[in-house]
Amino acid sequence: MSVVLIVDDNTPLAEDLAEILADAGHRTETACSGEDAIRRVLRGGIDILVLDLRMPGMGGIEALRRLRQTGVSVPAIAMTAFADEATKVHGIEAGIRAVLDKPVDYARLETLINQIAA
Amino acid sequence: MEASLLRTRRERAGGRAGLGILSGPAHNAAVSEPFLDEVKRYLLWTDADADALRDAHQALAPQLSEVIDIHYLRIVEHEDARRVLTGGEPQIARLRRTFETWLHQCFLGPHDHAYLELRSRIGHAHVRIGLPQRYMITSIGIMRSALRPLVESLIAAERRAATHVAIDKVLALDLTIMLEAYQNDTLDKLARNERLATLGQIGASIGHELRNPLGVISSSAYLLRKSVANDARAARHVTKIEHHVELANRSIADLLALVREVPPTLESLPASALVHEAIEAAALPASVRVSVGAADTSVRADRGQTVQALRNLLANAAEAMRGSGAIDVTIEPDGDAVEIHVDDAGPGFTREMLGRAFEPLVTTKSGGVGLGLPLVRRLVERQGGKVRAINRPGGGARLTLRLTAAQNGPGHHP
């Protein structure tokens, strides 16, 4: 069973995604900002990150870059409502496995998480 | 006078300072009577000019068809000018009749408000069919040259000078009125861009704000669906929620795509592949049948933006037919371009809507906000293409994308 951290400043959405992934058999936690996500990941025990690219303050890419700088390489899936190609390429360069457009295709999210967890 | 002319133009453009977001510009506004008086004063137009033209008409009338022949021969012989007249011989015959009325009226007058209105309408018709203004300006020159020898040979020597002056003045008057139509069109475009910019700023922020609650509604509906698997009535309502969230998301996506500047990445692509991709993306109801008459040709286009434009055209066609009927898509090479026509079996456009189909916030659909077709235009024009809408003679509408044909690369068939 993988532990998935869902990071989105839209807390109700993060909670729903956590519930969807919990139904799919994963343990889930939520965070509401890039800073919050870094703190939680550094405490350990997170296997997969699902994070919004744009959040007030620190966005998903910046949070991931800082984690990489500290030597943490948690696999990550990004979500964005601004899915232009440049952002996607930028995100993938920062170590993101996949970028999902918002509104999120939940079935695809489940599949991706299952693939990473396998 | 100049300040006054400018003021008149600004007023016609919709009073720019007070332009409301939803009120829009005074589209194709008529040229006003004070404008006519002003131009006449500038030309030093007198009753003697009107008299000279009327007198000359008696002698020149039998020869005026010769002037018209010269004019249309010049158009037919000129490849680029001819291309503007897409309606072929019937259109040329129609335009010839209008032209004949116009030319006789130049001489006979009266050079009053009705005169002004006809010229203004002709000018707007030129804008509508996309006639570059250089052809109108040069046509006036051609007519002046064609009339000059007629005056020399048919008008008595003592009246010739006055006739030449009067002809110069009336042609200048007409050209000025018709150029106003182009000026108004430019101002309309500026006002439309201004409207889009304002709409974009407000719309983009509202769109993003709405996406968050829509995301939550969508994720909650997804979870709810699992809980109501055995309750058909509840499941039906979940389906409704999902469908309407999808519609709302699509409107927001259209709005954001409309205001966002994404430079196109042009590549050679088979036109039929783009059409089929768009049909798949449109996910039209089963009650809508789509047939594709595909010429084996390629376009130079941005894949994502063209598919999105075609998808919007298909969705628009399906909505025009109230979700049931046949859509015919045809791909037609035309010189350096490829045209993709989307024909529907709906009621077609009203006369007023036909000229405004691609303007933002203009819609006849009760549930629509009028962003789909403006987005099509935006996406296609960004790639150097064009869009147009016509009513088909047999009923229904035809919306056309005109894209640059691919010269090289995979799928090109000369």
Side-chain angles (χ1 to χ4, degrees):
Chain A
M1 186 192 295
S2 302
V3 181
V4 184
L5 177 66
I6 296 139
V7 191
D8 199 311
D9 58 307
N10 184 358
T11 307
L13 179 66
E15 288 169 356
D16 275 357
L17 292 178
E19 205 174 326
I20 289 167
L21 294 177
D23 281 355
H26 303 284
R27 273 184 54 203
T28 55
E29 293 185 29
T30 60
C32 61
S33 67
E35 294 89 339
D36 197 13
I38 291 174
R39 278 193 293 273
R40 178 60 197 88
V41 171
L42 290 179
R43 283 210 307 272
I46 299 297
D47 299 311
I48 303 169
L49 268 172
V50 175
L51 75 178
D52 192 14
L53 285 184
R54 282 203 198 183
M55 289 179 282
M58 191 189 295
I61 292 177
E62 183 56 26
L64 201 60
R65 187 172 287 122
R66 291 198 189 184
L67 283 171
R68 298 278 185 264
Q69 281 169 358
T70 60
V72 176
S73 56
V74 183
I77 293 170
M79 304 178 292
T80 180
F82 304 82
D84 59 82
E85 292 302 317
T87 308
K88 282 185 184 175
V89 171
H90 199 49
I92 288 165
E93 280 171 357
I96 290 169
R97 298 281 183 95
V99 181
L100 297 181
D101 295 344
K102 280 186 170 182
V104 173
D105 179 340
Y106 309 109
R108 179 147 186 256
L109 176 65
E110 279 186 39
T111 306
L112 285 168
I113 295 284
N114 290 338
Q115 281 171 357
I116 295 171
Chain B
M1 189 209 74
E2 204 172 311
S4 170
L5 266 179
L6 283 172
R7 191 176 59 248
T8 313
R9 284 172 181 158
R10 284 200 195 100
E11 283 158 7
R12 273 198 301 280
R16 310 187 53 73
L19 185 70
I21 297 165
L22 301 178
S23 60
H27 184 74
N28 285 354
V31 180
S32 64
E33 202 154 355
F35 168 81
L36 176 67
D37 293 338
E38 199 163 26
V39 177
K40 276 176 153 179
R41 277 203 312 278
Y42 190 65
L43 286 168
L44 301 177
W45 177 274
T46 64
D47 288 346
D49 295 312
D51 292 343
L53 288 167
R54 233 182 346 266
D55 291 345
H57 184 259
Q58 282 185 339
L60 298 177
Q63 308 300 321
L64 289 184
S65 59
E66 202 178 291
V67 177
I68 297 167
D69 286 341
I70 291 170
H71 177 251
Y72 278 97
L73 192 64
R74 199 65 75 87
I75 292 175
V76 170
E77 284 176 351
H78 192 287
E79 197 181 319
D80 290 337
R82 195 175 61 230
R83 198 173 286 163
V84 178
L85 305 178
T86 52
E89 283 301 320
Q91 189 187 14
I92 290 183
R94 220 171 36 246
L95 290 175
R96 205 189 147 91
R97 283 195 297 277
T98 311
F99 189 91
E100 198 167 356
T101 307
W102 170 80
L103 188 55
H104 284 279
Q105 206 190 16
C106 283
F107 286 92
L108 293 171
H111 305 88
D112 58 5
H113 186 65
Y115 184 91
L116 173 79
E117 276 194 342
L118 176 67
R119 272 114 191 104
S120 183
R121 274 205 305 277
I122 293 171
H124 284 300
H126 289 165
V127 171
R128 200 169 53 245
I129 64 171
L131 180 77
Q133 56 180 334
R134 62 180 179 274
Y135 295 126
M136 201 172 61
I137 297 165
T138 45
S139 283
I140 293 284
I142 291 167
M143 263 173 286
R144 188 178 285 119
S145 306
L147 285 167
R148 187 161 286 276
L150 291 180
V151 171
E152 289 296 319
S153 62
L154 297 170
I155 302 293
E158 70 276 13
R159 283 163 38 213
R160 265 179 221 151
T163 306
H164 282 310
V165 168
I167 287 174
D168 283 349
K169 283 184 186 178
V170 81
L171 292 180
L173 176 67
D174 278 50
L175 183 61
T176 307
I177 295 168
M178 288 190 275
L179 284 177
E180 274 297 291
Y182 285 86
Q183 174 77 18
N184 285 349
D185 185 58
T186 306
L187 288 173
D188 275 3
K189 278 183 185 156
L190 281 172
R192 194 175 68 211
N193 287 343
E194 197 173 282
R195 215 157 46 118
L196 265 180
T198 312
L199 175 72
Q201 286 161 5
I202 297 171
S205 59
I206 293 175
H208 287 307
E209 286 305 312
L210 287 178
R211 268 195 160 162
N212 281 338
L214 282 169
V216 178
I217 295 168
S218 165
S219 56
S220 292
Y222 185 82
L223 285 163
L224 199 55
R225 177 170 288 289
K226 293 181 178 175
S227 309
V228 299
N230 298 319
D231 183 341
R233 185 162 172 244
R236 201 171 63 244
H237 286 292
V238 171
T239 302
K240 270 190 193 171
I241 292 170
E242 287 171 342
H243 176 63
H244 287 273
V245 166
E246 165 65 21
L247 289 181
N249 271 320
R250 197 173 284 189
S251 289
I252 292 170
D254 279 355
L255 175 64
L256 295 177
L258 192 64
V259 298
R260 201 180 287 157
E261 274 302 332
V262 183
T265 307
L266 300 179
E267 52 184 327
S268 293
L269 300 162
S272 60
L274 293 169
V275 170
H276 287 290
E277 203 174 316
I279 292 170
E280 201 179 323
L284 299 172
S287 49
V288 174
R289 298 180 308 283
V290 185
S291 67
V292 183
D296 198 4
T297 189
S298 290
V299 289
R300 188 146 177 79
D302 179 290
R303 183 187 204 96
Q305 294 187 13
T306 309
V307 168
Q308 192 175 1
L310 285 166
R311 194 199 72 186
N312 277 23
L313 286 191
L314 291 166
N316 180 75
E319 283 163 18
M321 301 188 304
R322 297 182 179 278
S324 172
I327 299 173
D328 293 318
V329 183
T330 45
I331 299 168
E332 199 176 5
D334 180 23
D336 295 337
V338 174
E339 296 200 329
I340 305 177
H341 309 291
V342 178
D343 296 351
D344 67 50
F349 292 98
T350 61
R351 191 183 165 85
E352 193 212 347
M353 282 297 298
L354 196 55
R356 306 187 65 194
F358 293 99
E359 281 183 34
L361 306 179
V362 174
T363 183
T364 54
K365 286 175 263 171
S366 56
V369 287
L371 293 175
L373 294 184
L375 176 59
V376 171
R377 177 165 70 183
R378 187 101 163 147
L379 292 169
V380 171
E381 287 183 352
R382 259 183 213 156
Q383 304 178 53
K386 283 183 180 168
V387 292
R388 65 173 188 272
I390 58 164
N391 283 327
R392 292 187 297 138
R398 162 171 283 194
L399 286 104
T400 299
L401 302 191
R402 188 177 172 86
L403 299 165
T404 308
Q407 297 304 313
N408 294 300
H412 176 64
H413 301 270

